[in-house]
């Protein structure tokens, strides 16, 4: 499994079905934590259909094949951007959430965002922990919480960092797709002839 979020892939339009499959793989409680309320399969599909892959930033970590095991989505609202994170249960606690958060913030820096915020349920221990760890300011409002972080201006390093990560992530994804296709190919050599 590709567990390094340095291999996070910048998702494009072609990845829409894989992103939908990722969200649909989240159980009921995880969907409630991710989207703020219980959400049906149809509502998940509708949410993914509305995502603007050109304007928003969506990054994902895949398993050895083409399944997305972790994703971050940042959507601009003026000079701010809202961030949403999700990691499939079997892949949590490995640092994917934190690494995708950092990747998304670099993306936002390079596009001139001034602030990133996460709107989540106050009961969400893992997300609140991640928010504090990234020095976000947290405002509680009943059962919900808003975590905010000022985004620094870009510099040469953030530009170079994003370029190299995009290149590396895209290269690894291309290789994984090629390997998956080849393993299914009738042209593949098999000593047993099967
Ligand atoms: C929140 C979420 C994205 C975290 O993903 P992850 O890959 O496990 O995150 P990381 O491994 O980078 O870090 C998790 C941290 O939270 C800590 N943590 C986990 N559960 C926790 C809890 N209940 N209370 C406090 N801290 C908790 C872990 O110990 C870890 O901290 P550490 O790195 O300092 O040891 C994941 O749990 C998830 O997808 N949840 C469902 C959707 C969701 O809640 N999304 C966020 C709202 S947008």
């Amino acid at each position: 499994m590709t567990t390094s979020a340095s291999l996070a892939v910048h998702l494009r339009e072609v990845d829409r079905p894989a992103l939908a499959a990722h969200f649909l793989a989240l159980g009921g409680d995880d969907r409630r934590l991710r989207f703020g309320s219980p959400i049906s399969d149809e509502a998940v599909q509708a949410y993914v259909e509305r995502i603007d892959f050109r304007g928003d930033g969506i990054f994902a970590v895949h398993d050895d094949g083409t399944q997305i095991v972790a994703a971050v989505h940042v959507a601009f609202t003026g000079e701010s951007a809202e961030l949403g994170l999700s990691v499939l249960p079997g892949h949590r606690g490995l640092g994917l959430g934190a690494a995708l958060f950092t990747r998304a913030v670099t993306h936002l820096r390079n596009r001139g965002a001034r602030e990133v915020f996460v709107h989540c349920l106050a009961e969400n221990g893992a997300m609140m922990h991640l928010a504090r760890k990234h020095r976000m300011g947290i405002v509680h409002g009943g059962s919900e919480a808003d975590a905010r972080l000022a985004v620094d201006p870009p510099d040469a390093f953030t530009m170079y960092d994003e370029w190299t990560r995009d290149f590396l992530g895209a290269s690894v994804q291309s290789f994984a797709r090629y390997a998956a296709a080849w393993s299914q190919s009738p042209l593949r050599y098999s000593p047993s002839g099967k």
Side-chain angles (χ1 to χ4, degrees), residues 30 33-34 84-87 92-98 124-127 129-130 133:
D30 284 338
L33 293 173
R34 169 61 180 82
L85 259 178
S86 48
V87 178
R92 291 185 187 156
L94 301 171
L96 295 183
N124 194 340
M127 191 60 234
H129 176 82
L130 276 178
K133 199 169 166 179

Side-chain angles (χ1 to χ4, degrees), residues 34-117:
R34 169 61 180 82
F35 297 102
S37 59
I39 174 168
S40 67
D41 287 1
E42 292 72 24
V44 168
Q45 292 282 9
Y47 171 83
V48 175
E49 281 308 313
R50 287 196 302 273
I51 291 177
D52 173 7
F53 279 80
R54 284 173 181 268
D56 298 352
I58 306 111
F59 301 89
V61 176
H62 296 75
D63 63 5
D64 286 339
T66 53
Q67 189 194 16
I68 292 175
V69 298
V72 63
H73 175 199
V74 280
F76 284 88
T77 52
E79 291 187 332
S80 294
E82 181 168 10
L83 181 150
L85 259 178
S86 48
V87 178
L88 296 187
H91 303 267
R92 291 185 187 156
L94 301 171
L96 295 183
L100 283 175
F101 181 95
T102 302
R103 179 70 187 84
V105 170
T106 300
H107 175 83
L108 293 174
R109 279 184 76 171
N110 290 342
R111 281 150 193 83
R114 306 293 294 273
E115 182 191 56
V116 58
F117 67 94

